[in-house]
Amino acid sequence: MKGTINNAPSCADPTDPNSISVAQALSQIEAKTVALDQSVLLPIRECLGRICSEAIHSNMNVPGHANSAMDGYAIAFSDLRKGHIATFEEIGCSFAGRSLDAVCKPGQCVRIMTGAVIPEGCDTVIMQEQTEPRDNGLVAVDSNHQLGENVRQAGEDIKQNAVILNQGDKIGPADLGVLASLGISQLNVFRKPIVAFMSTGDELVSVDKPLKKGQIYDSNRYTLFGMLTQLEVGIMDLGVIQDDFQSIRSALLGAAEKADLVITTGGVSVGQADFIKTALEDIGQPDFWKIAIKPGRPLTFGKINDSLFIGLPGNPVAVMVTFNHFVIPALRKLSGARPTQAPVVRATSIEKMRKRAGRMEIQRGIASLTVDGRWQVCKTGKQGSGILTSMTRGNCFILLREDSNGVEIGDSIEIQLFDWSQV
Ligand code: AMP
Ligand code: MG
């Protein structure tokens, strides 16, 4: 029989009328995700990596007093005369933590150590190396100096009442130091979101069991464990769920009771064993279920009661790509953090890449720096969404936008590094 059949839209098509764009998917995730508003008061060291839930103002000046930035002599600048050498009588010594309680009069100086409080009557510190001892115990200083040199002014790092942290800031090592320098020992941070995850598929076997014909080991729960553990979230591994509507439905309901975000992998396509979308329609509110992206087109997003739900595809590479692109922004919002994107840099392609316009493609690449400090990139090889070793071989995602028609050698393209240790 001659002729053609009417193909339904599929991942073989560059465009699919049921798919939404990556930008639309991200803005729907942003709109539907509500930040958790519960916070916990923790000792500051436990706040590292967490999201600050309240603005913090400084309760004092740092430094609290003007102090010396050098070992030397504290003097009054007005004692120096242009073109002349001045001599000073040393009246004592001021140490960090043991300041000299004396008033310096004209013609007098104080020997001072780094960090020691500037004595009353002084405004300038002359480095020890720029002074000369004289026989009669005097200290000689020439006039090549500036008012206030080598003096750290009170409040020059932090002024009293200045904003130190804003709500939504992620606490880094420097923040811990700044908090400590203000004597702040505890901080309110948002509680960690709880993320439950499970794999779906009758073919999946856990790593400690032998494989029968047609079975495969479940790798998605391991990559998900790894990616989630690197974030500040609580995790619940709910194991493997069989491809059965009732099992999936009750697993999703149970997970949504315990977790703020439920993630599944697999079962989101149009196959006869793909029940995620129908289960979500039954117990929750699906938002979208197809994105114009490769890999990762079938991705179901929605809510189950108060929990967010993200049904990732089953293919192992698609899981990692979509986790980075869609789950991380959702988790940022849920955690109370301000939205930020992983940095995108431009690199010169050293190979040709085929692509049809219509959907975004995220390929795995190997980026390196040329001798003159520019990024260059090539693909990791085969880009099938089941080739998980493309993620272990690669160190970056290559972002080929919707309108790209492919890449020629020498084209400047966008990459997102995910592994700096492999550059
Ligand atoms: P699905 O979306 O369920 O049709 O799965 C797509 C492909 O990914 C199939 O080849 C599955 O066998 C595979 N797959 C699904 N889940 C996993 C998993 N947890 N680990 C490894 N491969 C999987
Ligand atoms: Mg499946």
Side-chain angles (χ1 to χ4, degrees), residues 379-392:
K379 293 196 292 185
T380 52
K382 280 210 177 111
Q383 295 289 316
S385 61
I387 300 178
L388 189 52
T389 49
S390 67
M391 286 295 302
T392 57

Side-chain angles (χ1 to χ4, degrees), residues 199-200 203-204 216-220 265-269 274 313-316:
S199 296
T200 67
E203 74 279 33
L204 302 176
I216 59 168
Y217 285 120
D218 174 6
S219 61
N220 288 343
T265 64
V268 282
S269 298
D274 292 329
N315 278 308

